[in-house]
């Protein structure tokens, strides 16, 4: 009751004091925390007891959520915000005292002996891994209305990113269980971090598709909460302009994944179950699983506590640079420097041209694709110390050079790749660089912005993301001995792209290069205008000459041989303008659609041996 609490602190805020009677002891505690941290303005407009009481309690519900979802609670959030805002006002460089240099890491070349060895090792390790997808972002740059994981990875099959990720994990699980030394079977855990922006639609996508073949018990959704917005340099929390009982909130960034995993209790469970690795990945990289087995192999071989996957980076490309930072006091770390910070950091530390390409045509700093492989043991130990809190930053847009007022409210943010920042120097932090064509093709930019990307830099659009899949699959088959015809150049949605044969396969057909090589033999060729979708597991390509469209699906017990000359009118590509709203959004953001003129389509639903020849 109001009379029993310390009245001093409340007496200076009469609007709150007069309402204490409706608050529970817990709520009164929260009110105290707010007042002690300079937030009395939140109650300024509160009417007397009896008016809007329900909304006042809603206000405290929200405060309780904000308090419990942040490591250290609101007091810690406000304290950090004050510090970071003061640094920002002073224009303090977050990398003060550090000088950047180019780090050295593992380089993998697709298909060579080392790569194949790493892939094999990765498959052994896969059953000891848990996969974590961060998918709480809205994808504002892409501007797509749905959730990004529901977008087709490519439109030949229309299979969405989430289905592809799940089928890839299941394929790895099966391959890994098959060779388990103790013969035991394990289900690889799959965690998806969602937010209020994506949670219900992600759940709905999973449920309406029977979890794409995964056991529902294998999948966990962890929803991140947004954090409170800040109105000024004193870190006064921002009220919603339309509701004085509600604090404005914004996303805190993908760094939340660590505190959520920690508080979920899953890390202990995984350790008890004998798991060893946690793999983090982002929502729309359709090539990612080409890179997973080999880089997991690298983690295991090198005993990396942290392994970041990277690709050669074009200067000014919107991907972070992996950088070695050496402090004047001698300590050093290998860490991602985010793309908006790399140029100023370089200019401030002896690289007068900033973020530019070197003689290789690429930035000397490898590009972070934000796929992290962490060793579970040290990861859990570290989170036990930090509670999963990740070094944050603030990025206020000031009204003017006095830096006293913001254009709009700001908030603290954090990034999952900043996890190594708190690690001791003894931690084994490394990275693995792979070819771009193999490993990285995110879908982040809308057509208009993609068309403005400087020539030679990747578009990161729905168009380039899909074309990258056909290119990667074509190149992989070429390396396996298939004569895949060279691509043609085409401009789609204002972006010049290479159009390769539209080749796709299900993960269970071939997860690693040695599997794929086993499925291809003889003299095979595929023309540029061809489409080939392999959906069955035991499909073998032998002396095939394809000039047209071929779709094959089969049950696992059917062994299917594809051979001979298969020729038909195939599928043609028609240009679509992204502004044409008569076309579904997920198609028009690509700038093309298929006209399915003619195809050979075969389904094998009975066990046995079959062959497809025209
Ligand atoms: O609050 C958030 C924000 C983002 N995310 C998820 O985090 C992932 C990355 O988000 P964005 O695509 O906005 O990230 P960015 O493109 O800004 O940069 C990111 O990817 C490229 C890397 O080089 C950068 O270092 C990395 O920060 C997405 O899967 C998104 O859904 C969250 O889960 N929660
Ligand atoms: Mg972003």
């Amino acid at each position: 009751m109001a009379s029993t609490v310390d009245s001093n602190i409340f007496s200076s805020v009469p609007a709150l004091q007069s309402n204490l009677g409706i608050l529970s002891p817990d709520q009164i505690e929260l009110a105290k925390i707010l007042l002690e941290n300079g937030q009395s303005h939140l109650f300024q407009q509160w009417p007397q007891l009896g008016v809007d009481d329900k909304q006042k309690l809603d206000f405290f519900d929200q405060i309780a959520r904000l308090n419990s979802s942040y490591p250290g609670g609101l007091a810690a959030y406000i304290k950090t915000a004050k510090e970071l805002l003061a640094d920002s006002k002073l224009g303090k460089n977050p990398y003060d005292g550090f000088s950047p240099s180019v780090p050295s890491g593992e380089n993998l070349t697709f298909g060579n002996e080392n790569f194949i060895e790493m892939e094999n090792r990765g498959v052994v390790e896969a059953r000891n891994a848990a996969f974590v997808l961060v998918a709480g972002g809205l994808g504002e740059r892409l501007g797509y209305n749905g959730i990004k994981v529901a977008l087709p990875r490519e439109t030949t099959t229309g299979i969405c990113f989430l289905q592809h990720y799940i089928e890839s994990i299941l394929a790895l699980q099966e391959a890994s269980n098959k060779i388990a030394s103790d013969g035991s079977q394990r289900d690889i855990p799959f965690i998806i971090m969602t937010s209020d922006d994506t949670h219900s639609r992600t759940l709905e996508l999973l449920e309406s598709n029977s979890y794409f073949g995964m056991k529902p018990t294998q999948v966990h959704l962890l929803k991140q909460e947004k954090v409170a917005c800040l109105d000024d340099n004193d870190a006064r929390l921002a009220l919603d302009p339309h509701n004085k009982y509600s604090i404005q909130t914004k996303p805190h960034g993908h760094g939340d994944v660590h505190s959520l995993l920690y508080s979920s209790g899953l890390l202990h469970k995984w350790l008890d179950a004998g798991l060893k690795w946690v793999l983090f990945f982002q929502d729309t990289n359709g090539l990612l699983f080409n890179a997973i087995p080999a880089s997991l192999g690298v983690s295991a071989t090198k005993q990396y506590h942290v392994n970041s996957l990277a690709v050669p980076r074009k200067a000014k490309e919107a991907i972070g640079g992996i950088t070695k930072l050496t402090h004047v006091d001698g300590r050093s770390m290998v860490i991602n420097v985010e793309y908006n910070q790399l140029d100023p950091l370089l200019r401030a530390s002896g690289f007068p041209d900033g973020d530019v390409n070197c003689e290789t045509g690429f930035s000397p700093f490898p590009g972070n694709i934000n796929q992290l492989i962490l060793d579970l043991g040290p990861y859990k130990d570290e989170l036990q110390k930090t509670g999963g809190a990740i070094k944050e930053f603030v990025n206020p847009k000031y009204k003017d050079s006095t830096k006293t007022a913001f254009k709009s409210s700001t908030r603290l943010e954090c990034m999952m790749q900043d996890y190594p920042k708190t690690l001791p120097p003894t931690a084994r932090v490394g990275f693995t660089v792979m070819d771009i064509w193999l490993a990285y093709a995110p879908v982040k930019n809308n057509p208009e912005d993609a068309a403005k990307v400087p020539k030679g830099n990747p578009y990161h659009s729905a168009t380039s993301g899909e074309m990258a899949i056909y290119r990667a699959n074509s190149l992989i088959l070429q390396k396996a001995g298939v004569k895949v015809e060279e691509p043609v150049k085409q401009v789609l949605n204002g972006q010049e792209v290479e159009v390769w044969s539209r080749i796709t396969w299900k993960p269970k057909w071939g997860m690693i290069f040695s599997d794929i090589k086993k499925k291809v033999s003889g003299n095979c060729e595929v023309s540029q205008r061809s489409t080939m979708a392999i959906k069955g597991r035991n499909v073998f390509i032998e002396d095939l000459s394809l000039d047209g469209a071929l779709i094959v699906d089969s049950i696992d017990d059917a062994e299917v041989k594809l051979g001979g000359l298969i020729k038909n009118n195939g599928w043609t590509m028609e240009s679509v303008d992204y502004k044409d709203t008569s076309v579904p959004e997920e198609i028009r953001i690509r700038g093309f659609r298929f006209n399915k003129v003619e195809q050979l389509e075969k389904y094998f639903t009975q066990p046995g041996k079959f062959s497809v020849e025209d």
Side-chain angles (χ1 to χ4, degrees), residues 180-211:
S181 49
D182 62 357
S184 70
Q185 301 294 297
R186 214 183 247 161
D187 294 335
I188 294 178
F190 179 39
I191 312 308
I192 308 174
M193 180 170 80
T194 58
S195 68
D196 278 321
D197 296 326
T198 61
H199 186 83
S200 56
R201 284 178 290 177
T202 307
L203 191 59
E204 154 76 16
L205 181 63
L206 286 165
E207 290 191 331
S208 59
N209 289 284
S210 311
Y211 287 73

Side-chain angles (χ1 to χ4, degrees), residues 133-141 148-149 193-195 198 224-225 250-257 281-284 313 317-321 336-339 367-370 411 413-417 440 442-444 460:
L133 167 63
V134 291
L138 256 185
E140 276 168 283
R141 275 184 283 157
K148 290 174 78 182
V149 291
M193 180 170 80
T194 58
S195 68
T198 61
Q224 64 178 141
E225 293 295 335
K250 283 186 183 166
H252 189 222
H254 37 69
D256 279 347
V257 73
F281 64 109
Q282 303 194 152
D283 48 18
T284 59
R313 173 181 183 276
E317 185 180 346
I319 68 178
N336 172 72
V337 174
E338 198 61 335
Y339 45 90
N368 166 44
I369 67 171
N370 239 16
R411 85 294 197 177
E413 295 175 73
C414 63
M415 302 191 292
M416 67 171 169
Q417 65 270 36
Y440 194 53
V443 177
K444 297 193 189 225
H460 294 175

Side-chain angles (χ1 to χ4, degrees), residues 488-561:
V488 297
K489 287 221 161 90
Q490 211 171 318
V491 176
L492 300 166
N493 274 350
Q495 304 151 55
E496 188 184 89
V497 289
E498 280 184 1
V499 182
W500 289 78
S501 317
R502 272 68 67 205
I503 298 173
T504 67
W505 57 75
K506 287 263 196 180
K508 66 180 173 189
W509 183 76
M511 266 312 283
I512 58 173
F513 190 45
S514 52
D515 283 348
I516 291 165
K517 280 199 292 191
K518 278 183 215 144
K519 295 210 160 137
V520 177
S521 62
N523 277 319
C524 298
E525 52 187 15
V526 179
S527 69
Q528 188 279 331
R529 66 176 197 91
S530 289
T531 297
M532 178 164 76
I534 306 176
K535 300 178 177 177
R537 181 192 304 269
N538 291 308
V539 176
F540 294 84
I541 303 175
E542 195 181 321
D543 296 318
L544 169 73
S545 173
L546 176 64
D547 185 31
L550 170 65
I551 318 284
V552 185
D553 199 353
S554 56
I555 59 166
D556 287 359
D557 292 336
E559 193 181 304
V560 180
K561 199 196 111 190

Side-chain angles (χ1 to χ4, degrees), residues 394-530:
V394 69
N395 192 11
K397 307 281 183 290
Y398 298 106
K399 271 200 179 131
D400 57 42
S401 59
T402 64
K403 294 190 172 180
T404 42
F406 307 157
K407 282 187 186 152
S408 62
S409 65
T410 188
R411 85 294 197 177
L412 300 190
E413 295 175 73
C414 63
M415 302 191 292
M416 67 171 169
Q417 65 270 36
D418 279 344
Y419 162 73
K421 282 190 173 166
T422 57
L423 291 179
T426 50
R428 297 176 61 88
V429 181
F431 64 94
T432 304
V433 186
M434 269 181 263
D435 293 316
I436 302 173
W437 68 262
L438 181 71
Y440 194 53
V443 177
K444 297 193 189 225
N445 289 327
N446 62 57
E448 210 159 321
D449 292 342
K452 288 187 218 142
V453 163
K455 204 173 160 47
N457 275 27
Y459 298 115
H460 294 175
S461 67
T463 312
S464 63
E466 177 158 356
M467 288 302 142
I469 304 221
Y470 303 136
R471 178 178 55 187
N473 289 346
S474 294
L475 289 173
I476 292 171
L477 286 193
Q478 275 189 349
K479 286 175 205 287
V482 179
K483 289 190 206 76
V484 181
E485 198 181 346
E486 290 301 300
V488 297
K489 287 221 161 90
Q490 211 171 318
V491 176
L492 300 166
N493 274 350
Q495 304 151 55
E496 188 184 89
V497 289
E498 280 184 1
V499 182
W500 289 78
S501 317
R502 272 68 67 205
I503 298 173
T504 67
W505 57 75
K506 287 263 196 180
K508 66 180 173 189
W509 183 76
M511 266 312 283
I512 58 173
F513 190 45
S514 52
D515 283 348
I516 291 165
K517 280 199 292 191
K518 278 183 215 144
K519 295 210 160 137
V520 177
S521 62
N523 277 319
C524 298
E525 52 187 15
V526 179
S527 69
Q528 188 279 331
R529 66 176 197 91
S530 289

